[in-house]
Amino acid sequence: MAHKFVDGIGDMGKTEDRKLVENLRKELNYHNYCYHVLDDPAINDSDFDHMMSQLINLENCNPDLISPDSPTQRVGAPPADGFQRVEHPKPMLSLANVFNYEELDAWHQRICRLLKRDSFNIVCELKIDGLAVELTYEDGVLVRGATRGDGFYGEDVTTNLRTVKSIPLVLFGIPSGKLYVRGEVYMTKDSFQKLNYEREEKGLSLFANPRNTAAGSLRQLDPSVTALRNLKIHVYSLGHVSGITMPETHWSILEHLGKLGLRISEYNRLCTTFTEVKDFIRYWLGQHNKLNYPTDGVVIKIDSINYQEYLGVVGREPRWAVAYKFPAQQAVTKILDIGINVGRTGSLNPFAVMEPIIVGGATIRMATLHNEEDIQRKDIRVGDWVTVERAGEVIPKIVGPVTSRRTGREQVFKMPKSCPVCDSLVVKIHNESVHRCPNAACPAQLAELLRHFVSKKAMDIDGVGDQWIKAFLEQDLITDLGDIYSITKDKLLELERMGEKLADRILASIEASKNRPLSRIVFGLGIPHIGSEIADLLIDHYPDIDLLRAASKEELEDIPGIGPSISESIWSYFQTESNVKVLNKLKNRGVRLNVRPERFLGKPTPLFGQTFVLTGTLVSMGRDQAQTTISDLGGIISNTVTKKTMYLIVGVNPGSKLDKAKRLGVQVLQEDQFLALIKANGENVD
Ligand code: IVH
């Protein structure tokens, strides 16, 4: 959409844009509400994205229309240095716990005595295991979000909470006045597992449970990290309120908050008898583990606000509410053996084989042990009696050994020196906690690796599903990634249930994949730590697989965004003979292993593959522009001058790189010479 403000019409255009912006925001807020608060989307993702990009466009054209409550402004705040302390106008209380029906009955009888009646409404809610926050809305707009802290003072985590999509930035109806609402921010079990899985793949330490992860994610200095953690909220009560009239029962308050667009649990229940309260607890004792978020009890609250005020607070705990805690889901069993599972990237994942035991209604036979360090830290040995726990995690975990039951016959676990499947020597990369089998052709890795290689984001080889991957491996059609390109129609037709048509389709998509962009091939190779973004970055600097292969660890680390673990991972991948063999097979069978076809088609580029280093300040263009220009011509930008450097480009106030270049005999280009060179190579530098 073009927005031109011609004299006289400018104001009208502005008014129109303002209207459009307002309408788009209203629509987007509503659809965000349907998706994240009601879990009931009203439009599809692409329509939503389309509207969002329209709004972004309009705001870019009219920066003065941007306001903090715009749905475009959820992420984008710069990382903070720390968090401000903020006071809760009304202290955030905690709850007294009860652990069985007798204790619950005692609480109920006390309330009956104090209220001098035995019939009153009670609200039951699930107690989510996340962290409590307080949100402040001023005239309907979210102005602050804080952690509970010590109940009186918390930390200002507004920028992080703004990234939580189920927290509305503006309340429906834009109620005037000040409204403090409280709720629990949490992470779903799925998101937790996915995050830990990704961290394990990258050799990073694992988070203990969804609650700690949610807490850590909210106390992140960088809101863009919080945004990736997919946190959610359930609002469960009010804090201080001024200028707004609120209903007089907790249940109606929750309903009212729901109407304002806040996310309220669908499982809350208004009970008119104490039997219903017990039924609610009984039901959730058996069901809570099935929820996709961690819960550790039921919160029982007297419904009438008058009664709540009358009952008051003792210390930090209100008399009018209590938490019925679910029993800890722990049990003790014996470790029979520690096995090793080999993952796609070759990670050797130890797991415990245990005497079967029932914990929280499920039989547990195995538990992941993560890595050697974890096993050593907990001092877990084969033959040990151990405590196993099912908490918020879906996968059971081993808490630790019961050392009093040791007999002396327990055996300390040692990671094998060679891969249990292919016998390759196991490697452990600097700073990683994971041991890996470096052989990409290891059969255990191969099936997973093939799945990844043919996937949409990598080589997108249509028609090769899990069933065929299994068949290829069983029939020895494939012993490494390179063999995909040697499959013939005859061989395919020998497979059970393979027909002519399907064989042709598979062969056609294998053929088509030979011309995929190099970054997708590099991603598809399944090199540990190399996700699709890192692959793009690498290819921007090394537009040919041979250049990437020749890069030293130091050169790789010179690329902004590439750290020691990634550079070491790439480097050791190319040092492994079997991987080089795979690359040779790919090349010999016609897979394109450079970017020339896409980026430099039709352009003679003598600078292709040449390494450039910049020093000092360029007058005619910024560093970013210089780098883009060089890489568009196929050049590679590096930070360090080495013998392989083709040109050192020198701006004003050059650093020590100039001395080094002179020492090594590297060609030095002044800025005007550099401009002449890029002009000669056909790049427009205006
Ligand atoms: S009410 C006085 N309701 O449990 C009322 N708390 O130990 C105080 N929690 O800090 C809180 N779900 O983090 C309430 N539905 C719920 C809750 C809940 C989880 C947490 C909250 C609080 C802790 C109390």
Side-chain angles (χ1 to χ4, degrees), residues 464-533:
V464 182
D466 285 2
Q467 160 201 10
W468 296 119
I469 289 178
K470 205 164 151 229
F472 294 167
L473 293 175
E474 274 169 10
Q475 299 304 314
D476 279 338
L477 244 64
I478 286 183
T479 56
D480 64 29
L481 282 185
D483 289 343
I484 296 180
Y485 296 94
S486 306
I487 295 177
T488 60
K489 190 164 174 181
D490 290 349
K491 285 276 176 210
L492 281 181
L493 289 173
E494 279 172 23
L495 302 175
E496 237 175 83
R497 289 195 302 278
M498 175 67 74
E500 281 262 346
K501 267 199 184 141
L502 186 55
D504 287 338
R505 196 180 124 209
I506 289 178
L507 288 172
S509 54
I510 291 177
E511 191 58 32
S513 75
K514 289 181 175 173
N515 281 315
R516 296 277 180 259
L518 181 57
S519 59
R520 285 174 55 177
I521 302 174
V522 168
F523 169 62
L525 293 174
I527 307 171
H529 297 308
I530 313 302
S532 50
E533 280 163 31

Side-chain angles (χ1 to χ4, degrees), residues 93 95 125-128 132 148 184 236 299 301 318 320:
L93 303 170
L95 288 166
E125 298 167 13
L126 281 170
K127 187 169 182 298
I128 302 180
R148 176 179 183 275
E184 197 82 353
Y236 56 63
V299 186
K301 300 174 180 173
W320 50 264

Side-chain angles (χ1 to χ4, degrees), residues 346-371:
S347 54
L348 265 52
N349 310 314
F351 62 91
V353 182
M354 298 172 297
E355 243 162 42
I357 180 123
I358 297 174
V359 190
T363 305
I364 294 177
R365 292 185 174 81
M366 296 214 248
T368 162
L369 289 167
H370 304 304
N371 53 54

